[in-house]
């Protein structure tokens, strides 16, 4: 299974079953057409119900990305100054031997000296094998610092877990039967297209769709209502909805009594949030709050199934964890969980029986307990000197599946850290990204078309398998193989370093998923209940929907969810009177695809959307170059005066590569390293700025 001998090489086109590797809830089943050993096209698998034969625009360009003339095809060694991106070609043997020697020199200094080595990785591929398997084994054996992978979903994940007991919820297909769908903090058309298909079916059958988002997104355009609240005020809105459900007695008393914990306490708190109070905080009209409560309340006790599709956009602020807790409470108030088309879905990843210990082998730590560093404060971590509390300064960084120079907050500090001459940086990549420019060694990795993998999903409940369709390009190697060979150069002899990708794929789910089914069909549906909480059975300690969390109270935190205001709360009289959010661009995937010409053409260039009133107050017109700044830095881009922006909020879409921007920076030059209330997540959308015209127009 690991050899390339099974790869199609005929001139006659053949289709290979795969899975989209990207960080997206949809995890599509993908078919690659290969002829003469070349991948000609990728398409959605029509046999996979969620994919329904359709890929998004960006992944349809996967062959353009794979055969991109700038694909990294050989190991490279730095020859210029740090960050200049100047490299020379070296052999794999020389590169890996030198890297191993450098890591060994650090690790051998003392018992826990390897903590000076930090991995940095996220979900460039969501694959369980090319993600954290051989890499984790290598790092465990080495005793490197551990990484808390918080950059995306940890606040929401923690909020959901405290309330429902895990990353669990409605099955996505049943949204098609809902009568009311709240799309909360999500631009589904851009970032969750295959959910949107189910929402469309519901809409055609008469469901009402409401979008709750500061930005008038493509999704908001297609919903019946749009509530354009200020960023970071969702908790206040949820509390006011509860206020209205209580005062109008739109409650499922029986569900509350049987299946929830802490109702009296939550009730008391919610009664402090009249619609007028929340409306003031949210920057919307009280009548919008009342109307939403009426719609939701009309679904009480199974009157009609009401569903909430929350996504991660609403948890990237100080109070993101608490906001998710509050929203996750709502279905229990009206008993929405009684119906399979009612409840809430934020993430389904908790349903997957991933055999993490088998893949990652934490036992290789052999009693060592290296420190854990938060990836959302990479800038600070790279700049921290050695101390008794911190331990050794970071001396080596191993980056794979991530582009931290572009995507981590407060990138001025990240780049300052990466520029340290005494930092040894290894980057495994497909392309010479902003981060790769700072590498001492840049190692070419394979893409999804060139390696094996197994996937779970956070938006549906099917496991998927990816078969390689073509041989690795140039000298590229899978992440697994790079770490396997590096282990060899380090002299690690544990038998687990010899496991091939075939063995790792089988190990990912063990016996919990039928591997033969994966091999045959490319996907296997997990057996999960249709209406998981119709009769309680929440995977919380109490088995109830926990409005009150004894676990949080025990940590000295508020046991009840509350509205936690932003660190940088909107206030027109401050030096930085505009709130900036920076949600995904439709045709990029975080900073991936930004260098693919056809997609870059669609997104045109980095822009800042502004409301007409905010633009007029600054004498800014569409197309003007603007300077967006705060105390952390500045970023220049073009202004786009647009009804997509609400007054007081500017939208800087997508994570552009810094080097493709006007001033060599991107939006993350402005974002802060402040962390969320729960889960230690980043607060990308809790960010105040000022915008001024920069004089030049083009
Ligand atoms: N095309 C595309 N798809 C993607 C991605 C991408 O970059 N591009 N990224 C992928 C990744 S990594 C993730 S984590 C997922 C999840 O993706 P999300 O992070 O959920 O991104 P969006 O679906 O754009 O939803 C975010 C929406 O939340 C809005 N928003 C911002 N602040 C607030 C707020 O305070 N409250 C509320 N209610 N809304 C707010 C934004 O305007 C935006 O429309 O999407 C994945 N899918
Ligand atoms: N301002 C702002 N910043 C954000 C966000 C935002 O909304 N606003 N979103 C945040 C979110 S939700 C997330 S998840 C993070 C995402 O941040 P990252 O996880 O860093 O995601 P990408 O930017 O897509 O970069 C992934 C990189 O992995 C590489 N890659 C892909 N597959 C492989 C492989 O098999 N092997 C190797 N070695 N490399 C591979 C790709 O080429 C790409 O350069 O960004 C966060 N940053
Ligand atoms: Mo993400």
């Amino acid at each position: 299974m690991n050899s390339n001998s099974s790869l199609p090489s005929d001139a006659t086109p053949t289709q290979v079953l795969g899975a989209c590797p990207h960080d997206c809830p949809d995890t599509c089943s993908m078919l690659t057409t290969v002829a003469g050993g070349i991948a000609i096209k990728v398409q959605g698998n029509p046999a996979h119900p969620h994919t329904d034969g359709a890929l998004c625009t960006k992944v349809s360009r996967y062959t353009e990305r794979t055969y991109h003339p700038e694909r990294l095809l050989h190991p490279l060694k730095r020859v210029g100054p740090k960050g200049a991106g100047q490299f020379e070609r070296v052999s794999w043997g020389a590169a890996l031997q030198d890297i191993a020697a450098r890591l060994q020199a650090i690790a051998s200094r003392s018992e826990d000296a390897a903590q000076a080595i930090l991995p940095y990785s996220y979900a460039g591929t969501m694959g369980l094998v090319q993600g954290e398997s051989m890499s984790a084994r290598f790092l465990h054996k080495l005793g490197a610092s551990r990484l808390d992978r918080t950059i995306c979903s940890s606040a929401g994940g923690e909020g959901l877990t405290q309330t429902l007991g895990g990353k669990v919820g409605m099955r996505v297909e049943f949204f098609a039967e809902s009568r009311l769908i709240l799309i909360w903090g999500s631009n589904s058309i851009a970032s969750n297209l295959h959910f949107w298909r189910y929402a469309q079916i519901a809409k055609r059958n008469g469901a009402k769709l409401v979008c709750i988002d500061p930005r008038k997104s493509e999704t908001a355009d297609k919903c019946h209502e749009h509530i354009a609240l200020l960023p970071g005020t969702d908790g206040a809105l949820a509390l006011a909805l509860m206020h209205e459900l209580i005062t109008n007695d739109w409650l499922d008393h029986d569900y509350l009594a049987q299946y929830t914990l802490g109702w009296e306490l939550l009730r008391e708190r919610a009664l402090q949030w009249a619609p007028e109070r929340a409306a003031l905080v949210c920057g919307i009209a009280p009548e919008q709050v009342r109307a939403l409560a009426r719609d939701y309340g009309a679904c009480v006790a199974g009157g009609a199934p009401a569903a909430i599709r929350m996504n991660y956009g609403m948890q990237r602020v100080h109070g993101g964890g608490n906001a998710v807790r509050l929203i996750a409470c709502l279905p229990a108030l009206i008993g929405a969980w009684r119906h399979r088309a009612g409840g809430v879905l934020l993430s389904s990843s908790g349903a997957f029986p991933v055999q993490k210990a088998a893949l990652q082998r934490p036992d290789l730590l052999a009693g060592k307990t290296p420190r854990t560093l938060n990836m959302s404060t990479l800038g600070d971590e790279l700049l921290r000197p050695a101390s008794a509390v911190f331990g050794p300064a970071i001396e080596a960084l191993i980056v794979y599946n991530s582009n931290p120079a572009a995507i981590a907050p407060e990138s001025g500090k990240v780049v300052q850290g990466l520029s340290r001459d005494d930092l040894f940086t290894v980057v495994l990549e497909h392309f010479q990204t902003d981060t790769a420019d700072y590498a001492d060694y840049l190692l070419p990795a394979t893409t999804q078309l060139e390696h094996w993998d197994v996937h779970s999903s956070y938006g549906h409940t099917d496991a998927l398998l990816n078969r390689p369709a073509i041989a690795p390009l140039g000298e590229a190697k899978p992440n697994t193989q790079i770490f396997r060979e590096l282990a060899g150069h380090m002299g690690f002899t544990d038998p687990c370093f010899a496991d091939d990708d075939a063995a790792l794929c089988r190990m990912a789910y063990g016996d919990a998923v039928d591997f033969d089914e994966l091999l045959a069909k490319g996907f296997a549906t997990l057996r999960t209940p249709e209406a998981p909480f119709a009769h309680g059975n929440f995977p919380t300690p109490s088995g109830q929907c926990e409005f009150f969390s004894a676990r949080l109270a025990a940590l000295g935190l508020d046991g009840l969810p509350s509205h936690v205001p932003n660190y940088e709360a909107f206030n027109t009289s401050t030096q930085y009177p505009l709130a900036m959010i920076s949600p995904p661009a439709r045709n990029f995937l975080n900073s991936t695809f930004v260098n693919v010409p056809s997609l870059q053409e669609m997104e045109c260039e980095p822009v800042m959307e502004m409301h007409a009133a905010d633009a007029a107050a600054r004498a800014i017109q569409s197309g003007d170059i603007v300077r967006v700044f705060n105390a952390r830095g500045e970023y220049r881009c073009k202004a786009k005066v647009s009804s997509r922006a609400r007054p007081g909020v500017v939208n800087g879409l997508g994570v552009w590569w810094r080097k493709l921007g006007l001033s060599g920076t991107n939006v993350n030059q402005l974002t802060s390293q402040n962390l969320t209330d729960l889960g230690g997540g980043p607060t990308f959308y809790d960010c105040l700025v000022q915008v001024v015209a920069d004089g030049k127009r083009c």
Side-chain angles (χ1 to χ4, degrees), residues 23 65 122-125 151-152 316 400-403 407 428-430 433 445-446 451 479 582 589-592 655 667-668 684-685:
D23 188 350
R65 184 176 187 276
Y122 199 63
T125 167
I151 201 81
C152 171
R316 308 193 198 289
Y400 52 100
N401 303 340
S402 185
N403 182 11
I407 63 87
L428 284 60
E429 251 301 349
H430 297 153
T433 59
T446 45
H451 56 225
N479 291 342
S582 44
L589 197 292
N590 302 317
S591 77
T592 305
V655 189
V667 282
N668 280 324
F684 293 114
Y685 307 164

Side-chain angles (χ1 to χ4, degrees), residues 427-462:
V427 177
L428 284 60
E429 251 301 349
H430 297 153
F431 292 103
Q432 192 172 332
T433 59
D434 288 333
T435 307
D437 281 343
Y438 292 87
D440 291 280
Y441 278 101
L442 180 50
L443 306 177
T446 45
T447 69
Q448 191 77 341
L449 301 190
E450 300 150 67
H451 56 225
W452 283 94
D453 219 327
V454 171
H455 288 256
S456 50
S457 167
Y458 62 99
H460 61 66
T461 41
D462 293 352

Side-chain angles (χ1 to χ4, degrees), residues 121-122 125-136 360 400-401 453 479-480 483:
S121 69
Y122 199 63
T125 167
M126 295 281 288
L128 296 169
V129 171
Q130 303 306 334
E132 309 303 332
S133 67
M134 203 49 84
S135 53
Q360 305 187 353
Y400 52 100
N401 303 340
D453 219 327
N479 291 342
T480 44
F483 284 103

Side-chain angles (χ1 to χ4, degrees), residues 322-338:
N322 268 280
V324 169
R325 285 178 77 193
L326 283 163
I327 296 165
C329 292
L330 286 168
L333 268 69
I334 61 162
W337 289 115
R338 291 184 188 277

Side-chain angles (χ1 to χ4, degrees), residues 568 576 628-634 669-671 687-690:
E568 305 192 0
Y576 306 115
V628 189
F629 63 100
N630 60 22
R632 289 177 287 272
E634 73 168 48
Q669 195 76 8
L670 308 169
T671 53
C687 176
L688 290 181
V689 299
Q690 178 59 293

Side-chain angles (χ1 to χ4, degrees), residues 381-630:
E381 308 309 339
L382 287 177
L383 295 172
R384 242 186 263 286
S387 73
V389 180
F390 181 61
I394 297 167
E395 290 179 61
L397 185 69
I398 306 175
V399 182
Y400 52 100
N401 303 340
S402 185
N403 182 11
I407 63 87
E410 204 175 358
S411 39
K413 285 202 176 157
V414 176
V415 163
Q416 197 187 333
L418 291 172
S419 307
R420 278 174 40 200
D421 268 324
D422 57 348
L423 181 73
F424 176 65
T425 301
V426 179
V427 177
L428 284 60
E429 251 301 349
H430 297 153
F431 292 103
Q432 192 172 332
T433 59
D434 288 333
T435 307
D437 281 343
Y438 292 87
D440 291 280
Y441 278 101
L442 180 50
L443 306 177
T446 45
T447 69
Q448 191 77 341
L449 301 190
E450 300 150 67
H451 56 225
W452 283 94
D453 219 327
V454 171
H455 288 256
S456 50
S457 167
Y458 62 99
H460 61 66
T461 41
D462 293 352
L464 282 88
L465 177 78
N466 183 73
R467 291 168 178 272
I470 55 170
L473 263 56
E475 293 182 326
K477 293 180 195 273
N479 291 342
T480 44
Q481 183 61 17
I482 299 175
F483 284 103
R484 211 176 268 127
E485 291 184 20
L486 207 46
H489 283 275
M490 296 289 287
F492 298 165
T493 53
D494 306 68
C496 72
F497 289 109
D499 286 346
D500 63 16
D501 287 7
L504 293 170
C505 282
R506 282 184 187 274
M507 232 175 257
Y509 291 118
D511 294 334
V513 171
D514 181 353
F515 199 75
D516 291 333
E517 189 181 351
L518 285 180
L519 281 171
K521 286 201 309 183
F523 65 94
T525 302
L526 302 181
R527 276 179 291 277
T528 54
E530 290 196 351
F533 311 130
H535 306 287
N537 293 319
F538 290 92
T540 52
S542 65
Q544 313 275 55
C545 176
E546 296 198 349
F547 297 149
F548 182 87
S549 165
R551 284 177 291 174
L552 291 180
L555 294 171
L557 300 168
D558 196 347
L560 272 184
S562 62
H563 168 59
V564 178
N566 277 3
Y567 288 106
E568 305 192 0
F570 178 72
N571 177 350
T572 46
S573 63
T574 63
Q575 210 179 347
Y576 306 115
L578 296 167
M580 183 188 81
I581 57 172
S582 44
R586 183 169 182 178
N587 296 301
F588 299 152
L589 197 292
N590 302 317
S591 77
T592 305
F593 293 105
V594 177
N595 64 327
V596 173
S598 67
L599 295 169
Q600 203 185 92
E601 223 167 84
M602 283 183 219
E603 292 295 333
C604 296
E605 60 198 325
V607 293
M608 194 62 65
E609 294 174 350
M610 294 186 83
H611 186 264
D614 291 325
R618 292 165 177 78
I620 292 169
Q621 291 172 28
S622 272
D624 283 355
I625 293 177
V626 288
R627 199 160 68 82
V628 189
F629 63 100
N630 60 22

